[in-house]
Amino acid sequence: MIVHTQQVTFDEELRLKSGATLKPVTLAYETYGTLNADRSNTILICHALSGDAHVAGQHSPHDRKPGWWDDAVGPGKAFDTDRYFIVCSNVIGGCSGSTGPSSINPETGRPYGLSFPVVTVADMVEAQRWLIDALDIPSLLCVTGGSMGGMQALQWAVSYPDRVRSALVLASTACTSAQTIALNEVPRQAIYADPNWNEGDYYGKEPPNAGLAVARMIGHITYLSETSMREKFGRRLQERERYGYDFATEFEVESYLKYHGNRFTSRFDANSFLYITKAIDYFDLSLGRGDLSEAFADVKAKILVLSYSSDWLYPPEQSEELVRGLLRNGIDASYVEIKSDYGHDAFLLEVERLGELTRDFLAKVERETSGPAGPAQGAPTSTGEREEKVYPLASWAAKTRGTWRLAKVEQREIA
Amino acid sequence: MNSSRPDLDVIVHMVSAGSRVLDLGCGDGTLLAELVAQKGVQGRGVEVDEVKVRGCMSKGLSVRHGNIEDGLADFPDGMFDVVILSQTVAYLNRPLGVMQEMARVGRSAIISFENAGYWKARGRSLRGGGAGTTLVSGQPRVRSITLPQFDEVLHHLGLQAKERVLLRGSEPVRRWPSLFADAAVFRVAKA
């Protein structure tokens, strides 16, 4: 499956939760499969901390690695591109084609660096809504993702209850825990401590790769479980028969972390790492409300929550708390704790059970919820009178401040 | 529906069409699916075994993976018309707490159990075979429940039997049920 990353730029101010604004907003996205006639078969996949829009397939036949969730997305797979129109976009704050700290600040003509405003998961979702509007998709059959992707799926169901028919939330939480904040802060400190970081002003110079590599190593530890580490590495040595009594990289696990840490620096921006982990830290759907149940009061989507037994970064207890909030509102929610030794990574790896559950869940959603419903959905509300670039989603557009227009749709491949 | 579980047919009969039903310990969803098909209920389940939970999902049911005590706590007061506990009460650690919770989340409850007062069970006990499952069977711990015991529990919890069906095999028992029924199905509600 050959896919191309596309980009869309909105020449409109995105109002962020912090009160700051961002303009222009570019989103990189990929689509797979075909949008059906009544525009009711869209599944939005949201990526986690280090992901991007390239969820599946290859950019060219020579690509060595397919997209980050290729095991689950494709013809006949859990998210079946023969049946569904799949959309995945890079989050704002990211560094894979969407506006982020490495983008050029139009006011200075230089990369934003730390002058980039802090974004939240809700802001990421708001930008995705612009994209979904631009694609003229009235409602989403499903929004899904693991980890921070699951947060976005939940945020969608909360922010746009009339546009989300279902959410499939994997290895995630409704409220980031102290432990997760701690496990985000230590990697950030590693980046701050790298002299190359230079308060975020390093573009065009040597980037803080040492700090970013340590940050990624910590991440990799949290994605595994004690059992999977024991099985994957044990105490095995790398390229050595016996201990060297020195500080060379000698255990396999050290070599693994070092390799992944270094590899990460070639594809990820340290400032993006700071901004995205901060967005995760701020995620708390109960913020400003009495409790989680209140946060879910307006949710209409059917929701399937999956947790993984050995995931200690987003442990099953946090999913159960989330499920409690949903069930207390009478929401049609299901919950499965998948037994797995793969830790947090299980959401990417346990694709067989995921596929089975996804097919069952989506079949139920398609059977029990209607596609675009309500008077304002589907066809444009008025023809002729409106300018053609004003989107037909009148009822939702009204919720936003004024109407917005698509300034520039640019399609290009990101090699 | 299931020749080895005639109580399930009785339960299906007891549930009114279109009601909101919670099945505790719903297994692979056989009973709930039957209730959806025959009575058009809005069903939800709670099940502790992952494989069975996935079985429920494959039947298009909504299910909360977890043990009954935790699962029940998630539901708001009076959310269901009927809460079902079929052949499970004997295996619970805290059956009274669960029955109380059932009365909180549901307007009525249907509970089925094996009658430990059934003459064959008594006979086995008298012959030294013990009550409940045998040690060698490897089955989990099970509580012996007799009809008078169950009546006592209902009274204790302020619940009232609205309907009860006593069975031997798949046949209703009318005479001396305490002795001749091997299974009981109660529909109860707050007194």
Side-chain angles (χ1 to χ4, degrees), chain A residues 324 328 332 334-335 337 339, chain B residues 50 58 60 62-63 65 73-74:
Chain A
R324 183 164 301 136
R328 288 208 170 141
D332 187 353
S334 288
Y335 170 60
E337 180 189 317
K339 187 152 176 44
Chain B
E50 184 203 324
S58 73
S62 297
V63 58
H65 187 187
D74 284 2

Side-chain angles (χ1 to χ4, degrees), chain B residues 11 48 52 113 133 148:
Chain B
I11 293 171
V48 75
K52 290 176 180 166
F113 57 90
T133 52

Side-chain angles (χ1 to χ4, degrees), chain A residues 304 320 323-324 327-328 330-332 334-339 353 356-357 360-361 364 367-368, chain B residues 43-44 50 53-55 57-66 70-71 73-76 79:
Chain A
L304 172 58
E320 284 163 23
V323 168
R324 183 164 301 136
L327 292 177
R328 288 208 170 141
I331 292 161
D332 187 353
S334 288
Y335 170 60
V336 189
E337 180 189 317
I338 307 245
K339 187 152 176 44
R353 278 175 285 179
E356 194 186 297
L357 286 164
D360 293 339
F361 178 62
K364 178 187 169 80
R367 200 169 50 241
E368 296 178 7
Chain B
R44 300 284 178 85
E50 184 203 324
V53 168
R54 289 189 277 119
M57 293 293 294
S58 73
K59 295 184 177 71
L61 301 165
S62 297
V63 58
R64 195 262 192 223
H65 187 187
D70 292 347
D74 284 2
F75 294 102
M79 186 179 170

Side-chain angles (χ1 to χ4, degrees), chain A residues 40-93:
Chain A
S40 64
N41 67 333
T42 302
I43 297 176
L44 176 66
I45 295 179
C46 305
H47 69 73
L49 169 56
S50 63
D52 53 29
H54 185 42
V55 62
Q58 293 157 295
H59 283 147
S60 82
H62 313 292
D63 248 5
R64 269 180 52 245
K65 274 197 73 179
W68 57 269
W69 214 8
D70 192 71
D71 286 341
V73 181
K77 295 181 184 173
F79 299 98
D80 187 351
T81 49
D82 288 338
R83 300 192 57 197
Y84 303 115
F85 180 62
I86 311 252
V87 179
C88 181
S89 68
N90 185 216
V91 296
I92 53 166

Side-chain angles (χ1 to χ4, degrees), chain A residues 107-173:
Chain A
E107 281 172 18
T108 62
R110 296 183 58 242
Y112 280 102
L114 287 200
S115 71
F116 190 76
V118 167
V119 295
T120 63
V121 169
D123 298 327
M124 295 171 177
V125 164
E126 187 62 8
Q128 284 164 1
R129 185 188 62 85
W130 287 12
L131 171 65
I132 295 301
D133 284 351
L135 296 171
D136 198 5
I137 293 165
S139 77
L140 297 165
L141 173 66
C142 185
V143 187
T144 186
S147 204
M148 186 182 80
M151 297 175 186
Q152 294 163 68
L154 283 173
Q155 185 71 55
W156 260 98
V158 168
S159 298
Y160 297 102
D162 293 318
R163 299 189 67 175
V164 180
R165 289 162 68 191
S166 73
L168 173 44
V169 179
L170 316 177
S172 192
T173 183

Side-chain angles (χ1 to χ4, degrees), chain A residues 22 53 80 130 142 165 192 278 304 319 372 374 377 379 402 404 411:
Chain A
L22 187 63
D80 187 351
W130 287 12
C142 185
R165 289 162 68 191
Y192 304 150
K278 203 69 196 170
L304 172 58
S319 287
Q377 294 174 344
W404 54 270
Q411 293 202 8

Side-chain angles (χ1 to χ4, degrees), chain B residues 137-150:
Chain B
S137 73
Q139 291 295 307
R141 185 161 49 98
V142 59
R143 216 180 282 271
S144 313
I145 306 167
T146 62
L147 295 183
Q149 275 182 357
F150 194 74

Side-chain angles (χ1 to χ4, degrees), chain A residues 79-300:
Chain A
F79 299 98
D80 187 351
T81 49
D82 288 338
R83 300 192 57 197
Y84 303 115
F85 180 62
I86 311 252
V87 179
C88 181
S89 68
N90 185 216
V91 296
I92 53 166
C95 51
S96 307
S98 293
T99 304
S102 57
S103 305
I104 300 295
N105 179 350
E107 281 172 18
T108 62
R110 296 183 58 242
Y112 280 102
L114 287 200
S115 71
F116 190 76
V118 167
V119 295
T120 63
V121 169
D123 298 327
M124 295 171 177
V125 164
E126 187 62 8
Q128 284 164 1
R129 185 188 62 85
W130 287 12
L131 171 65
I132 295 301
D133 284 351
L135 296 171
D136 198 5
I137 293 165
S139 77
L140 297 165
L141 173 66
C142 185
V143 187
T144 186
S147 204
M148 186 182 80
M151 297 175 186
Q152 294 163 68
L154 283 173
Q155 185 71 55
W156 260 98
V158 168
S159 298
Y160 297 102
D162 293 318
R163 299 189 67 175
V164 180
R165 289 162 68 191
S166 73
L168 173 44
V169 179
L170 316 177
S172 192
T173 183
C175 175
T176 299
S177 69
Q179 179 184 265
T180 304
I181 295 171
L183 290 167
N184 283 337
E185 173 61 5
V186 176
R188 281 194 297 263
Q189 288 293 341
I191 292 171
Y192 304 150
D194 187 325
N196 286 346
W197 179 62
N198 190 28
E199 301 289 312
D201 182 13
Y202 54 79
Y203 298 106
K205 294 172 240 170
E206 194 59 40
N209 285 345
L212 182 60
V214 172
R216 183 60 169 172
M217 288 186 214
I218 294 163
H220 268 286
I221 297 168
T222 66
Y223 306 152
L224 299 171
S225 72
E226 199 272 338
T227 307
S228 64
M229 276 210 186
R230 186 151 24 112
E231 283 173 5
K232 205 171 172 134
F233 314 109
R235 293 186 53 82
R236 281 191 300 278
L237 301 180
Q238 181 89 1
E239 295 169 0
R240 265 186 190 182
E241 294 296 315
R242 52 182 65 84
Y243 299 163
Y245 299 101
D246 57 22
F247 292 98
T249 303
E250 59 181 356
F251 288 99
E252 264 185 22
V253 65
E254 294 176 296
S255 163
Y256 171 90
L257 292 175
K258 207 169 162 183
Y259 171 77
H260 282 282
N262 288 331
R263 205 180 61 162
F264 189 59
T265 60
S266 65
R267 70 172 180 93
F268 215 82
D269 176 46
N271 283 337
S272 275
F273 190 97
L274 301 178
Y275 278 87
I276 296 174
T277 53
K278 203 69 196 170
I280 294 172
D281 291 358
Y282 281 131
F283 187 67
D284 174 10
L285 284 174
S286 64
L287 182 72
R289 301 172 171 107
D291 60 13
L292 255 188
S293 305
E294 251 177 75
F296 295 132
D298 297 326
V299 170
K300 293 177 184 165

